[in-house]
Amino acid sequence: MLNDKTIQIIKSTVPVLEIHGTAITKRFYELLFSNYPELLNLFNHANQRQGKQQTALANAVYAAALHIDKLEMILPAVKQIAQKHRSLGVKPEQYPIVGQMLLKAIKEVLGDAATDEILGAWADAYGVIAGVFIEVEAGMYQAAEQQEGGWADYRAFRVERKIVESEVITSFYLVPQDGGAIATFEPGQYVSVKLDIPGEANTHIRQYSLSDAPGKPYYRISVKREDTLQNRPAGKISVYLHEQIGEGDVLHLSAPAGAFTLDQQDERPLVLLSGGVGLTPMVSMLKTIVTANPKRRVIFIHAAQNGDVHAMKQQVDALASLHPQVSNYVVYDKPTMNDRSLQAFDKEGYIDLPWLKKVIPTTNAAFYFCGPVPFMRMMNSTLKEFGVDAADIHYEFFGPAGSLEAETEAQPQR
């Protein structure tokens, strides 16, 4: 445990971290990768280039400093990060390296303001925080390996089927190459996929939500192809999966992980809101709940540009037709002529509060949403304005955790 003096010193640095946190974490990653280039195999290089990882770490460090006297306050965030670490294969021996580089970054960025006393306090605090992560992750590693059908690290899976779901999303049905059983998972969880791409110096690891219900002899991931956009390069991994990985090829997967999971004990109505490829964990939740609790009311709302890029629509429509307790709504902001002729959508434009009030009969429900960050910011602010209790709002970031409060929430784009 930390003594009172150390706690006070750490708390005194909170205003500094609020200002210089991202500069510190940016320098931290530069030092980490220049001194330990092998760790590049664990990180998403695109998130590094876009600054997402630096911002996420800065937010985590700031939260740890703010709650250093009550670390239980950040335990949910610790468990979420630990799930990602377990799926990536982060090891206990890597924590001292991280601590050393973090302290060096603090000193370089803050200069003389980072006194020996402050650095000593942060060294002590980091030791305590790292210990929490190591302990939590040890339990997760053990559970992942010892569960029925479980395994440690990565396991080879063969692509049994490759199905085009839309112009931009393709599903991969994956079965274990060794023919053994596979671990179950909670709807909403993901697997890490590790790829060694010819010509690439480093291994690439990406997380993809499991898009089918548990209990099948396969895992299904549904991958959106991220092509070049303005100010953003193409998604190297998604393009490789779409273009180079076919039926019969082998991918290496971690055991399922993730803290964004469906509470199946809740009997209240379930509202599932998704934008774009954010529907993947929602489809898993929908497929699970109609079997596990067929009496539970479900409202499934998906937003996409149009029917050309709307994946798994027929699957969701079929479930809704078979299960009268499921209400299914589609929102397109740029519907095609074909969408209009088929009457394939329920609302043109964006999901807004007046429309939500028409299709959702009560705020006493469980709300789950996932999609691009602007979409999630809009859903978060809209649900709050609707009067939904914060405890009933659940969401998942694809990539490093961010803040839904960080930017103006009046941008309804996807």
Side-chain angles (χ1 to χ4, degrees):
M1 295 296 293
L2 299 172
N3 59 46
D4 290 341
K5 183 178 180 180
T6 298
I7 289 172
Q8 291 307 312
I9 292 172
I10 295 298
K11 280 188 164 291
S12 73
T13 66
V14 168
V16 178
L17 292 174
E18 191 170 15
I19 298 170
H20 299 288
T22 302
I24 291 170
T25 54
K26 180 180 179 182
R27 182 57 182 151
F28 157 74
Y29 282 114
E30 291 171 352
L31 291 167
L32 183 68
F33 297 143
S34 63
N35 286 276
Y36 300 93
E38 68 275 12
L39 293 181
L40 282 165
N41 294 315
L42 291 177
F43 286 86
N44 183 319
H45 302 173
N47 288 335
Q48 289 287 326
R49 289 192 298 270
Q50 295 169 23
K52 294 180 180 179
Q53 193 70 55
Q54 295 88 330
T55 300
L57 178 58
N59 290 340
V61 172
Y62 175 81
L66 189 65
H67 301 292
I68 194 66
D69 54 337
K70 295 179 180 178
L71 286 177
E72 65 273 11
M73 294 285 290
I74 65 169
L75 192 57
V78 168
K79 289 182 177 179
Q80 185 177 29
I81 296 169
Q83 289 275 1
K84 181 70 70 69
H85 285 179
R86 199 277 296 160
S87 76
L88 289 169
V90 172
K91 303 301 183 185
E93 57 268 24
Q94 292 164 339
Y95 278 93
I97 294 171
V98 169
Q100 179 188 359
M101 295 299 104
L102 183 59
L103 291 175
K104 190 172 182 179
I106 291 172
K107 180 62 178 176
E108 288 191 15
V109 172
L110 300 184
D112 292 341
T115 64
D116 289 343
E117 185 177 50
I118 287 175
L119 292 175
W122 264 104
D124 291 342
Y126 177 81
V128 170
I129 295 167
V132 172
F133 272 99
I134 291 170
E135 182 179 358
V136 170
E137 288 164 18
M140 291 179 177
Y141 276 110
Q142 184 178 35
E145 184 175 3
Q146 294 183 0
Q147 65 182 315
E148 184 178 356
W151 67 93
D153 298 318
Y154 287 85
R155 184 177 175 187
F157 279 72
R158 177 174 53 82
V159 178
E160 184 179 57
R161 283 183 289 159
K162 181 179 179 181
I163 305 295
V164 175
E165 305 282 8
S166 77
E167 287 187 353
V168 294
I169 296 175
T170 292
S171 287
F172 298 82
Y173 290 74
L174 307 168
V175 296
Q177 191 177 38
D178 60 21
I182 57 174
T184 190
F185 62 91
E186 293 294 320
Q189 289 192 307
Y190 56 81
V191 291
S192 285
V193 178
K194 183 169 69 171
L195 290 169
D196 289 305
I197 299 177
E200 290 287 319
N202 298 108
T203 294
H204 294 272
I205 302 174
R206 294 292 186 273
Q207 287 76 41
Y208 294 106
S209 295
L210 293 160
S211 61
D212 209 335
K216 306 291 175 64
Y218 57 81
Y219 293 144
R220 185 178 75 174
I221 60 172
S222 302
V223 180
K224 180 185 177 185
R225 176 177 174 138
E226 300 286 357
D227 285 306
T228 304
L229 297 175
Q230 186 178 7
N231 300 321
R232 195 178 76 185
K236 185 178 296 183
I237 309 309
S238 67
V239 171
Y240 182 80
L241 288 169
H242 274 248
E243 292 187 349
Q244 303 298 326
I245 298 298
E247 294 179 354
D249 288 334
V250 173
L251 297 174
H252 291 84
L253 273 59
S254 72
F260 177 66
T261 57
L262 177 64
D263 181 0
Q264 298 185 51
Q265 303 306 312
D266 194 340
E267 296 289 337
R268 297 177 302 160
L270 172 65
V271 181
L272 302 173
L273 293 147
S274 57
V277 76
L279 92 165
T280 52
M282 302 303 165
V283 169
S284 178
M285 292 180 181
L286 175 64
K287 287 192 167 190
T288 300
I289 204 65
V290 294
T291 300
N293 189 351
K295 293 183 179 180
R296 187 175 180 183
R297 175 77 186 278
V298 182
I299 300 171
F300 190 98
I301 302 172
H302 181 63
Q305 285 189 343
N306 52 53
D308 292 343
V309 297
H310 184 174
M312 297 182 256
K313 184 179 188 301
Q314 292 181 339
Q315 297 176 39
V316 175
D317 287 346
L319 284 173
S321 66
L322 289 171
H323 301 276
Q325 80 278 17
V326 176
S327 299
N328 176 28
Y329 299 96
V330 174
V331 179
Y332 290 158
D333 65 320
K334 297 178 181 178
T336 64
M337 292 300 295
N338 188 53
D339 294 331
R340 295 184 191 281
S341 65
L342 294 175
Q343 296 182 323
F345 58 98
D346 301 283
K347 183 182 188 302
E348 182 173 352
Y350 304 100
I351 299 172
D352 55 33
L353 183 55
W355 183 76
L356 277 183
K357 287 182 175 180
K358 293 179 182 178
V359 300
I360 300 176
T362 178
T363 58
N364 184 22
F367 292 78
Y368 292 76
F369 61 85
C370 187
V373 173
F375 169 84
M376 297 210 300
R377 288 200 177 104
M378 198 65 180
M379 291 304 95
N380 189 51
S381 62
T382 300
L383 293 179
K384 287 182 177 180
E385 188 179 352
F386 197 4
V388 178
D389 192 291
D392 292 328
I393 298 176
H394 313 275
Y395 55 87
E396 169 88 318
F397 281 95
F398 284 167
S403 172
L404 297 186
E405 314 291 344
E407 298 178 12
T408 302
E409 295 178 319
Q411 303 297 324
Q413 60 199 7
R414 285 188 294 279

